[in-house]
Amino acid sequence: MEAKLERAVRSEVRPSKARETWRLMKKYKAIYILSLPSILYFVVFKYVPLMGSVMAFQNYNIFKGIAGSPWIGLENFQRMFAYDEFLRILKNTILIGFYDLIFAFPFPIVLALLLNEMRRLMYKRIIQTVVYMPHFLSWVIVGGIAIGILSPTTGVVNHLLGLFGIEPIYFLGEDSYIRTILVSSGIWKDSGWGTIVYLAALAGVNPEMYEAAVMDGASRWRQTISITIPTIMPTIVILFLLHIGHFLDFGFERVYVFLNSLNEGSGDIMDTYIYRVGLVGRQYSFTTAVGLFKSVVGLALIMLGNALSRKATGQGLY
């Protein structure tokens, strides 16, 4: 009797939930239609290619395809960690990603706070436009500009060093400079664009909070520490977690334009390694394993960062 009653209750609840879902879909159909292109993009370019990850567990043959290539299990992953070259690549990727996290991530925050303090609207707009512009340049152009500036013969940097009696330095020809060049060029290119999100968050700060702070005698620095930063902290946390998710995904184009045989010892990362060994060297299964390893590490980092963030600040991605 109780079982029949439970089934009857379920049969009544399920249609009601389905009707409620259908009603909400009809009510917000315009939003769902607008989201369709984005959903299709992620399905076609993000989820469908995931099926190719099985190549990491195969000895892939381009003529036999995925269905006809033999399975070898975790052999590619064992081979990956047995190579000294891969361990060097992994070290370079971790160090460059760490430097980018420490130096490049806070830069848009500082820049947004400085722009927010400007009172002359015309100067503020001019500076915003100037710092945004590099984002629209390709990495090929940015690399060409950086190579010209750092040239040992015609570069501005070496010209200034020469005024102090310092011999010209071939910056792109030494391992010790390549990581600094990669991180600093990224700061110059993308920091201005990154300030857009923070300026939007700053626009939502209640002006009455600043007025009350002024009446209490708080300085601009104290207002920034006690009002501005805590208000935009949820935005900072979300972007920080997204940045952690791309910790090992520094970018192929960003590195390849600066890389040469003289600095690849410290500048070669996973993305350039996958291109060189996978596409040029045609070791498709091995580099698929490398890419899968990078994706799994990124997923683990973002889940760990989200858990720690929720415990520490109460904010997270999910």
Side-chain angles (χ1 to χ4, degrees), residues 118-131:
M118 296 190 69
R119 293 295 172 259
R120 292 185 177 272
L121 188 59
M122 183 183 67
Y123 294 155
K124 182 178 180 179
R125 288 178 176 175
I126 291 174
I127 294 175
Q128 281 180 307
T129 303
V130 171
V131 298

Side-chain angles (χ1 to χ4, degrees), residues 55 109 140 182 215 230 242 311 313:
M55 292 168 54
I109 303 173
V140 176
L182 290 174
M215 294 182 65
L242 292 174
K311 288 186 177 180
T313 64

Side-chain angles (χ1 to χ4, degrees), residues 118-301:
M118 296 190 69
R119 293 295 172 259
R120 292 185 177 272
L121 188 59
M122 183 183 67
Y123 294 155
K124 182 178 180 179
R125 288 178 176 175
I126 291 174
I127 294 175
Q128 281 180 307
T129 303
V130 171
V131 298
Y132 291 168
M133 285 176 64
H135 174 78
F136 299 99
L137 301 176
S138 70
W139 275 109
V140 176
I141 297 175
V142 173
I145 293 172
I147 291 171
I149 292 174
L150 300 174
S151 172
T153 55
T154 60
V156 176
V157 175
N158 276 300
H159 177 71
L160 294 175
L161 293 176
L163 298 178
F164 296 95
I166 301 175
E167 293 294 325
I169 302 172
Y170 185 21
F171 291 98
L172 290 172
E174 298 185 23
D175 277 350
S176 56
Y177 294 108
I178 184 62
R179 292 169 184 164
T180 303
I181 294 171
L182 290 174
V183 174
S184 58
S185 61
I187 291 174
W188 178 75
K189 183 178 186 296
D190 293 325
S191 290
W193 183 257
T195 59
I196 293 176
V197 178
Y198 296 110
L199 286 173
L202 288 170
V205 180
N206 191 348
E208 294 181 358
M209 299 175 66
Y210 292 113
E211 294 173 2
V214 171
M215 294 182 65
D216 290 337
S219 62
R220 295 300 300 177
W221 174 251
R222 174 53 61 184
Q223 294 174 39
T224 301
I225 297 297
S226 302
I227 300 175
T228 307
I229 294 180
T231 304
I232 66 172
M233 186 56 68
T235 304
I236 295 174
V237 170
I238 297 299
L239 293 180
F240 180 75
L241 292 174
L242 292 174
H243 195 100
I244 288 178
H246 293 278
F247 185 77
L248 297 182
D249 191 16
F250 196 70
F252 169 76
E253 303 91 347
R254 181 173 177 176
V255 178
Y256 191 72
V257 294
F258 294 103
L259 210 61
N260 57 55
S261 58
L262 299 176
N263 59 31
E264 66 178 5
S266 297
D268 202 9
I269 63 171
M270 283 189 178
D271 296 298
T272 54
Y273 181 72
I274 290 172
Y275 166 76
R276 188 176 70 253
V277 177
L279 295 180
V280 179
R282 292 175 294 183
Q283 299 184 41
Y284 304 112
S285 294
F286 176 66
T287 49
T288 301
V290 175
L292 185 60
F293 167 77
K294 185 180 72 169
S295 300
V296 171
V297 171
L299 177 62
L301 286 174

Side-chain angles (χ1 to χ4, degrees), residues 62-90:
I62 191 172
F63 299 104
K64 295 181 180 180
I66 293 177
S69 298
W71 288 82
I72 58 175
L74 300 176
E75 186 176 319
N76 284 318
F77 295 93
Q78 295 171 353
R79 175 187 169 196
M80 181 173 67
F81 289 104
Y83 277 9
D84 292 336
E85 183 183 17
F86 173 76
L87 296 178
R88 175 181 62 82
I89 299 298
L90 180 61

Side-chain angles (χ1 to χ4, degrees), residues 14 22 28 34 43 88 146 191 212 225 251 255 291:
R14 285 175 183 172
W22 179 248
Y28 300 107
L34 288 174
V43 169
R88 175 181 62 82
S191 290
I225 297 297
V255 178

